[in-house]
Amino acid sequence: MPPNFRRDGLRLSLAVLGTLPFAQMASAADTVAAADAGTLPTATVKGTRSTTSYDTPVANTATKIPVPLREIPQSVNVVPRAVIQDQGALSINDTLRNVPGVSASLGDAQRDQVTIRGFSSINDQYVDGLRDDSLYFRDLSNVDRIEVLKGPAAVLYGRGSSGGIINRVTKKPLATPLAEVGVVVGTERQKRAEFDLNTSINDDAIRARITGAVEDSGGFRNDYFLRRQAISPSFLFNLSPDTKLTVQFDYLHDTRIADQGVPSYHGRPVDVPRETRYGSADAGAGNVESTVKSVTGTLDHRFNSNWSFHSVVRNYEYSLGRNNYTTVSSVTDGPVPTVRLGVNQRNRSDRGTLWQNELTQKATTWGVEHTLLYGIELGYQDKSDRVAAAPGTTPVNLFNPVLPVLPTVPGNAVPTNYGLSHNETYAAYVQDLIKFSPQWTVLAGLRYEILKQSRDDLTPRNVDLSRTDKPVSPRLGVVYHPIEPLSLYASYSRSFQPLADSFTFFSNSGALAPQSTTNYEIGAKYDLSAGASVTAALFDMKQTNLTAADPVTLLGVPIGTQRTRGLELSFTGEIAKTWSLFASYAYLNGRLENPFDRSGTVAVNGNQPSLTPRHSGSLWLKHDLPNGFYVAGGVRAEASRYASQYNLTTLPGYMTVDLGAGYRSKNVDVTLNLQNLFNRAYYVSAHGGAENYNMPGAPRMALLGVRYKM
């Protein structure tokens, strides 16, 4: 990275500390209740929500301020830690199976990736409200809960967010001591250990917490392996009754086999045993290795009961070695069908600094209550991406593959793609939560952004890019309470996605308009009790300015739109004493309206978007028994969906059944999960946009987790 960028990143990282003298000179604040652990000032606690509760009534992702979910005129789904633990989830994708309208993507065997309402979320990962768009597999050891905001969210989060965003809320230092260690073992050679330690020092002046995990696992796929190490220390400094500083460090190293599933044959994934792997006989040569490091500083200060300040800066570094991974160049029919395998090498690196400053104001004018949020966001990102290939391809029997030792990519191979990208963000936004009366609330927001993007193409094609976008992103929603526990809402929001964020570049990319997504939504939210809620949402989302390559000129040309209309339903919380339910259903009617698509020989106009099932749903029911025991069970179902927008390969619909049981005491938690009880053969994901990378779902397997609390 150039020295000036290192200096700029350091300056930004220290900027939070530079605000401390100003913060400490402020007057003492009135005490108010805090939404998250450590939020100032201290409040009187009259009760606590059980750590085993499935219902989360308050979330920050949608508004950046603590607001009850029924006050938010947009669909928000929260997967709490209790559900993650009870289901034995080991990945982000495992947790998101509970969220309506979300389908898993293979993610090119290198990253967490899902589709939300039919739109790819490849760049829509966040951590504590900050962009985390590097391409890797996240760990759950430091995750308190997952919040999914549906629809465009550009007012608060900037570019991207077509279908929605996924925000990981991390564990923060607590006032009370905590010491937990746990292990998970499984019948598919899963071996994982976790720890979570917390302490308070000097009469709560300093809090410290450290979480981490070590994993060395196998899997049901032939030769599969996963080795990872994660550690996340964090510190909270109570500088005064009204000021706190939180510093968080994160380190993750992940190495796993580069497994892209099975090819397609006659419109379906090829019919082979689900453990069948297509790749080199030297399985260890084809692996994915990623390393992620970050440091985050957060300053919170409350001036008084009406004014508060929040400043957070995150500096991160990311590297990926996708080493000698297998590609499928073609499938050939005949007496003995074959698949041709090639080998590629991909190296990515990202580094950057993101800085957000937000001022919250509470005011009353003419009897109308306002909660205003003023924000400024600054940041830069430097990205590198290099792809090279080994010469030639190797034919392999499609139905009975005898794996050869495939060639490795030579170090001096000429890259087929190699570019250096630089992004700069300058944004200002304002949001107002207006409460006209106990019955009527309006949420309005506006963001102005200057996004500078450049790319230096280091291949002979020299397809450089330089562009500046200045989008204005609006948001408007209305909430009506006919009775206290019921809210009815309607909302409008819009986001943008510049072409420079895609992985395809054209010589005219700098002149092409960004993709724009508009969402109209109506819905209802009802609090059945203090620990249960139900939501329903109807939406109409449309993305315009889709672009593809003209096969004659090789220029990028507009080809049309993608539209999804749908219904989402969810239930979280207690249905009766000792009975808890986490359930969801989604109906998605997706359609591509691309009459001018000239990127291939297959017409896509009128087709269904990739990985967008018409019907999908999940259910998880838990019953608490006497003496700390519980039993649970659930289902996950998806209708058929297509692997790509060309609708040539169909992933059949499926339903799986899971069971769970456990025991919780003061010192020991035990969980047992039996997944895919009936050993259903199915396909859980594909690499959306490609036909020959389809991942089978796991067979019947058991996971045992034991957690000791000191």
Side-chain angles (χ1 to χ4, degrees):
M1 183 172 69
N4 60 313
F5 290 134
R6 292 192 180 98
R7 289 195 300 269
D8 291 345
L10 178 61
R11 290 166 182 165
L12 278 174
S13 300
L14 295 176
V16 169
L17 299 178
T19 65
L20 288 177
F22 171 77
Q24 291 177 325
M25 289 189 301
S27 62
D30 299 335
T31 58
V32 299
D36 291 328
T39 300
L40 298 174
T42 304
T44 302
V45 178
K46 297 182 179 181
T48 58
R49 176 168 294 272
S50 170
T51 58
T52 62
S53 174
Y54 283 5
D55 187 49
T56 307
V58 177
N60 286 13
T61 298
T63 60
K64 294 289 191 75
I65 54 176
V67 177
L69 290 180
R70 61 188 177 89
E71 296 287 350
I72 299 172
Q74 205 163 339
S75 184
V76 182
N77 297 102
V78 182
V79 185
R81 188 71 190 176
V83 173
I84 296 173
Q85 291 181 339
D86 289 349
Q87 293 183 343
L90 297 176
S91 68
I92 292 291
N93 276 5
D94 287 346
T95 69
L96 295 177
R97 67 184 181 180
N98 299 284
V99 180
V102 174
S103 291
S105 172
L106 183 56
D108 211 14
Q110 71 181 63
R111 59 184 176 266
D112 294 317
Q113 188 178 340
V114 296
T115 62
I116 303 176
R117 293 180 171 178
F119 297 88
S120 172
S121 67
I122 186 172
N123 291 315
D124 297 321
Q125 294 276 350
Y126 289 77
V127 55
D128 292 326
L130 289 172
R131 181 176 297 274
D132 183 35
D133 58 7
S134 299
L135 307 180
Y136 67 102
F137 294 101
R138 282 85 178 161
D139 195 78
L140 294 176
S141 59
N142 194 39
V143 172
D144 182 72
R145 63 185 184 272
I146 305 289
E147 298 183 356
V148 182
L149 173 63
K150 306 291 186 58
V155 169
L156 299 180
Y157 297 98
R159 69 187 192 272
S161 65
S162 300
I165 70 165
I166 301 163
N167 185 37
R168 306 184 328 273
V169 180
T170 61
K171 298 176 180 179
K172 308 297 193 303
L174 305 171
T176 56
L178 173 70
E180 296 182 359
V181 294
V183 296
V184 177
V185 295
T187 53
E188 295 295 338
R189 298 176 290 117
Q190 295 96 338
K191 301 184 295 293
R192 177 179 169 91
E194 293 185 2
F195 63 89
D196 187 352
L197 308 174
N198 183 93
T199 189
S200 178
I201 306 170
N202 194 20
D203 197 25
D204 204 33
I206 302 175
R207 303 175 188 175
R209 188 171 189 176
I210 183 169
T211 66
V214 177
E215 186 167 355
D216 186 357
S217 294
F220 71 97
R221 300 277 290 161
N222 286 342
D223 305 311
Y224 182 82
F225 65 88
L226 164 60
R227 303 182 186 99
R228 72 168 24 189
Q229 306 85 40
I231 188 167
S232 301
S234 58
F235 305 89
L236 185 149
F237 303 91
N238 284 310
L239 303 177
S240 77
D242 305 306
T243 309
K244 70 166 186 173
L245 175 67
T246 305
V247 182
Q248 299 169 272
F249 302 88
D250 286 284
Y251 172 83
L252 173 67
H253 180 257
D254 185 295
T255 304
R256 63 182 71 200
I257 196 169
D259 185 5
Q260 301 196 95
V262 304
S264 296
Y265 183 68
H266 290 182
R268 294 291 180 98
V270 61
D271 186 14
V272 293
R274 58 186 147 202
E275 66 269 15
T276 304
R277 183 178 64 86
Y278 294 82
S280 179
D282 183 8
N287 64 73
V288 179
E289 182 177 11
S290 58
T291 303
V292 186
K293 296 176 287 185
S294 70
V295 57
T296 305
T298 306
L299 176 69
D300 287 291
H301 178 72
R302 191 173 300 276
F303 300 101
N304 51 49
S305 59
N306 294 324
W307 290 90
S308 60
F309 177 67
H310 174 80
S311 180
V312 55
V313 59
R314 179 175 186 254
N315 185 273
Y316 75 94
E317 293 185 1
Y318 153 85
S319 65
L320 169 78
R322 196 163 167 235
N323 305 307
N324 298 303
Y325 66 95
T326 303
T327 60
V328 175
S329 61
S330 64
V331 174
T332 303
D333 211 343
V336 182
T338 60
V339 56
R340 299 196 71 87
L341 306 179
V343 178
N344 275 18
Q345 175 79 25
R346 187 161 212 155
N347 296 96
R348 298 183 189 269
S349 66
D350 292 8
R351 61 178 63 199
T353 299
L354 307 169
W355 187 27
Q356 291 180 355
N357 294 277
E358 294 171 338
L359 188 66
T360 302
Q361 177 193 10
K362 294 183 178 180
T364 301
T365 57
W366 299 292
V368 177
E369 298 178 6
H370 298 262
T371 302
L372 288 140
L373 180 75
Y374 312 94
I376 295 176
E377 181 176 342
L378 306 172
Y380 81 88
Q381 294 176 288
D382 286 315
K383 300 173 179 279
S384 163
D385 188 13
R386 186 182 187 276
V387 181
T393 59
T394 303
V396 173
N397 189 304
L398 181 64
F399 287 92
N400 297 287
V402 178
L403 301 184
V405 177
L406 296 176
T408 58
V409 179
N412 61 352
V414 177
T416 57
N417 179 66
Y418 188 18
L420 306 177
S421 300
H422 178 71
N423 298 335
E424 295 180 15
T425 299
Y426 309 89
Y429 50 94
V430 62
Q431 174 185 270
D432 193 4
L433 184 66
I434 312 168
K435 197 170 186 64
F436 290 96
S437 69
Q439 289 76 40
W440 289 97
T441 302
V442 171
L443 179 66
L446 192 70
R447 180 187 184 100
Y448 175 72
E449 186 162 347
I450 300 174
L451 177 63
K452 297 181 178 181
Q453 297 179 303
S454 61
R455 181 178 187 268
D456 183 12
D457 188 353
L458 302 180
T459 69
R461 296 189 305 272
N462 197 32
V463 184
D464 292 341
L465 170 72
S466 180
R467 66 179 294 152
T468 298
D469 293 287
K470 300 180 181 179
V472 176
S473 302
R475 178 192 197 185
L476 180 64
V478 180
V479 179
Y480 171 62
H481 293 277
I483 56 175
E484 174 61 24
L486 173 65
S487 65
L488 308 176
Y489 72 88
S491 66
Y492 161 84
S493 56
R494 190 175 72 212
S495 68
F496 76 104
Q497 183 74 52
L499 191 65
D501 266 4
S502 71
F503 300 99
T504 303
F505 298 93
F506 314 105
S507 59
N508 65 330
S509 288
L512 296 171
Q515 296 176 0
S516 178
T517 304
T518 302
N519 182 59
Y520 298 92
E521 183 170 320
I522 60 173
K525 304 178 182 183
Y526 187 73
D527 289 343
L528 296 172
S529 65
S533 60
V534 61
T535 65
L538 285 167
F539 62 89
D540 184 347
M541 296 183 61
K542 186 175 183 179
Q543 187 176 74
T544 59
N545 296 332
L546 301 184
T547 304
D550 187 303
V552 178
T553 67
L554 301 182
L555 297 176
V557 294
I559 59 171
T561 65
Q562 177 178 332
R563 188 172 192 173
T564 304
R565 297 169 173 168
L567 165 69
E568 293 173 346
L569 305 172
S570 65
F571 181 99
T572 60
E574 288 186 348
I575 55 175
K577 190 176 181 179
T578 73
W579 290 89
S580 297
L581 178 65
F582 207 91
S584 68
Y585 166 79
Y587 169 80
L588 302 177
N589 184 9
R591 178 182 171 89
L592 294 169
E593 299 171 353
N594 300 348
F596 307 109
D597 189 356
R598 292 174 282 176
S599 59
T601 59
V602 181
V604 301
N605 189 45
N607 282 6
Q608 189 172 319
S610 61
L611 303 177
T612 307
R614 188 63 57 91
H615 303 275
S616 62
S618 66
L619 182 147
W620 180 258
L621 181 65
K622 175 185 174 184
H623 178 44
D624 291 314
L625 301 171
N627 302 316
F629 292 92
Y630 74 86
V631 293
V635 298
R636 168 69 180 174
E638 286 190 291
S640 62
R641 62 265 190 230
Y642 294 105
S644 79
Q645 69 271 25
Y646 297 110
N647 290 189
L648 297 177
T649 299
T650 301
L651 305 183
Y654 71 91
M655 184 177 74
T656 59
V657 178
D658 303 326
L659 295 179
Y663 168 75
R664 303 190 187 281
S665 69
K666 180 180 179 181
N667 298 112
V668 178
D669 290 349
V670 180
T671 59
L672 177 63
N673 293 90
L674 185 60
Q675 300 179 354
N676 194 3
L677 174 66
F678 299 108
N679 203 28
R680 175 71 183 271
Y682 69 103
Y683 288 87
V684 67
S685 66
H687 182 39
E691 304 290 335
N692 288 312
Y693 305 104
N694 308 291
M695 182 59 67
R700 179 172 52 237
M701 66 179 187
L703 290 170
L704 174 66
V706 180
R707 184 175 296 269
Y708 178 68
K709 297 174 288 186
M710 291 171 273

